[in-house]
Amino acid sequence: MLAGRTTTEELLAHLVAFDTTSRNSNLALIGFVRDYLEAYGVASVIVPSEDGRKASLFATIGPAEIGGVCLSGHSDVVPVDGQPWSTDPFELTPREDRLYGRGSCDMKGFVATCLALVPQMTAANLSTPIHLLVSYDEEIGCTGVVPAVRRLGVDLPLPRACIVGEPTSMRVVDAHKSGIAYLTTVTGREAHSSMPQLGANAIFAAAELVGELDRYRAELIEAGDASGRFDPPNTTVQVTVIDGGTAGNIVPRQCGIRWNVRGLPDFDEPTLLARFERFAQGVVLPKLRASAPEASIVTDFIYRVPPLRPQTGSEAELLALRLAGQNRTYTVSYGTEGGHFQAQGIPTVICGPGSIDQAHKPDEFIEVAQLRACERFLTGLVAECAK
């Protein structure tokens, strides 16, 4: 356990040292955070994953029986595999006015800053509580936070407002796109490539589906963004992975297509999926079944990240703008856990240190100035909650 008062940089170094790539357990990091909070007399509730390999942590500083403000951050990071790092990604490395390491920006910098402010929070005799939530599996669909969020207002306190500390360069973000990912699996029939009439080529069928998705992509670009707030200014459709075939002389039996949609907050996702299914089942599948009655096209969800919709004048927005010294809000095109809090009835904004431009890259870094700005923001929050 750390002795004495600990700086944001020291805490960030400890957090970065935990390899919490989403495929790994985060329990060691959660244990570190739990022990750190206990040293200041703050109890935690651990919310484990179904398999027990991961967990979220929820803690309250101040009176637990009233609403309060939730500060939310995820503990998992994206892989470093194959990336040309010039430093050890799991050792925080200072260089000039930057701190390099996986997760330094996305988003252990925010979590470290929250933890560094805990001594101020506990000493402030808060009249409005501050809640801390550290979650898992954000990077693979924002799924890990869901079990904890569902307990808010049930057996955990229901915050009046939530600030998700994803990197926004400390700008207040009130809206982001949804993120929904699918896997479409085309199954045909193998045959010798010299006798294609005896088979059903899954890759040819998949190519037709990809062409249809490309038509949707073009239509959505044309439709644009009526709000004029997003970049890119439209709902996007992307095909990200195609996997099919066995060998050069076999008609391919199976082909998988991973594709995703990042929708504007008011985008009608079910209508697009229904249109895709009509094309798949009504146009493409009959061609496969002409020679392979057992052929199929099946589309499954991989994950869905709900959008964050603007709530003008909400407590979260007004509070964050006041603390950040700003008078306007922004949007981002990436997804966050914020939509899950909003769906639970909690007004939510996104505001955290670092630039998303540095996230997921080799030599990820956060500027020290961004940590200082976040410290000022949270110091203001402590003062507000002590009134």
Side-chain angles (χ1 to χ4, degrees):
M1 193 61 248
L2 300 173
R5 191 152 180 172
T6 313
T7 67
T8 298
E9 286 91 334
E10 290 170 331
L11 285 160
L12 181 55
H14 280 273
L15 297 180
V16 167
F18 293 103
D19 181 358
T20 51
T21 305
S22 301
R23 62 186 174 229
N24 299 334
S25 172
N26 74 331
L27 293 181
L29 181 148
I30 292 295
F32 170 83
V33 174
R34 179 198 59 214
D35 293 346
Y36 175 85
L37 293 174
E38 283 183 357
Y40 291 98
V42 178
S44 303
V45 175
I46 304 299
V47 184
S49 62
E50 286 188 10
D51 62 8
R53 292 186 63 249
K54 301 178 183 181
S56 295
L57 177 147
F58 183 87
T60 297
I61 302 167
E65 65 275 5
I66 58 177
V69 179
C70 181
L71 303 174
S72 178
H74 63 82
S75 62
D76 61 316
V77 298
V78 298
V80 300
D81 306 34
Q83 293 187 337
W85 283 74
S86 62
T87 65
D88 182 343
F90 298 107
E91 179 179 342
L92 191 69
T93 303
R95 187 184 296 164
E96 296 179 344
D97 296 322
R98 297 172 176 177
L99 301 171
Y100 290 81
R102 175 55 89 219
S104 57
C105 172
D106 185 15
M107 58 179 298
K108 291 179 177 179
F110 177 75
V111 175
T113 311
C114 291
L115 295 177
L117 269 288
V118 166
Q120 284 190 35
M121 296 175 189
T122 57
N125 191 27
L126 300 179
S127 56
T128 298
I130 296 175
H131 311 286
L132 303 178
L133 203 167
V134 182
S135 63
Y136 62 94
D137 283 0
E138 190 274 348
E139 298 290 4
I140 53 175
C142 295
T143 55
V145 77
V146 174
V149 168
R150 287 176 178 165
R151 291 175 60 174
L152 300 178
V154 181
D155 63 336
L156 296 175
L158 181 68
R160 297 203 314 259
C162 178
I163 299 170
V164 178
E166 286 282 355
T168 66
S169 300
M170 292 307 298
R171 297 189 301 182
V172 179
V173 167
D174 71 337
H176 65 62
K177 294 180 179 181
S178 63
I180 184 165
Y182 304 94
L183 171 62
T184 297
T185 303
V186 180
T187 303
R189 179 192 290 172
E190 301 100 329
H192 195 287
S193 60
S194 68
M195 300 292 286
Q197 72 277 15
L198 301 180
N201 192 311
I203 292 179
F204 278 152
E208 288 193 73
L209 297 174
V210 170
E212 180 73 356
L213 291 171
D214 191 41
R215 283 187 283 276
Y216 301 163
R217 180 191 64 82
E219 290 175 13
L220 291 166
I221 291 172
E222 183 68 23
D225 166 27
S227 74
R229 301 186 68 202
F230 284 90
D231 180 23
N234 54 274
T235 293
T236 61
V237 174
Q238 290 293 315
V239 175
T240 55
V241 177
I242 298 176
D243 182 19
T246 305
N249 57 358
I250 301 175
V251 173
R253 175 179 178 271
Q254 198 163 78
C255 185
I257 310 164
R258 287 186 62 144
W259 55 286
N260 66 56
V261 180
R262 292 187 179 269
L264 297 169
D266 60 352
F267 180 66
D268 185 358
E269 293 164 354
T271 296
L272 183 141
L273 180 59
R275 179 180 168 186
F276 178 79
E277 288 285 11
R278 285 195 301 271
F279 181 80
Q281 303 301 320
V283 177
V284 180
L285 185 59
K287 299 176 187 178
L288 288 171
R289 287 186 169 170
S291 56
E294 73 276 17
S296 64
I297 300 175
V298 177
T299 296
D300 295 306
F301 282 100
I302 301 174
Y303 63 79
R304 182 181 187 278
V305 178
L308 182 68
R309 295 182 170 87
Q311 295 175 292
T312 304
S314 74
E315 182 170 0
E317 179 189 281
L318 295 177
L319 172 64
L321 287 172
R322 188 162 63 249
L323 295 176
Q326 298 168 16
N327 57 16
R328 61 161 293 191
T329 56
Y330 296 83
T331 66
V332 292
S333 291
Y334 57 83
T336 77
E337 300 171 337
H340 289 299
F341 288 95
Q342 192 176 70
Q344 194 74 0
I346 303 167
T348 301
V349 294
I350 317 299
C351 185
S355 168
I356 198 65
D357 293 346
Q358 307 309 323
H360 299 192
K361 292 181 177 180
D363 288 348
E364 176 183 349
F365 69 83
I366 191 167
E367 295 179 349
V368 173
Q370 284 288 297
L371 296 178
R372 298 288 90 84
C374 189
E375 289 172 350
R376 292 191 294 271
F377 181 97
L378 294 178
T379 297
L381 175 63
V382 173
E384 289 262 351
C385 292
K387 290 179 180 178

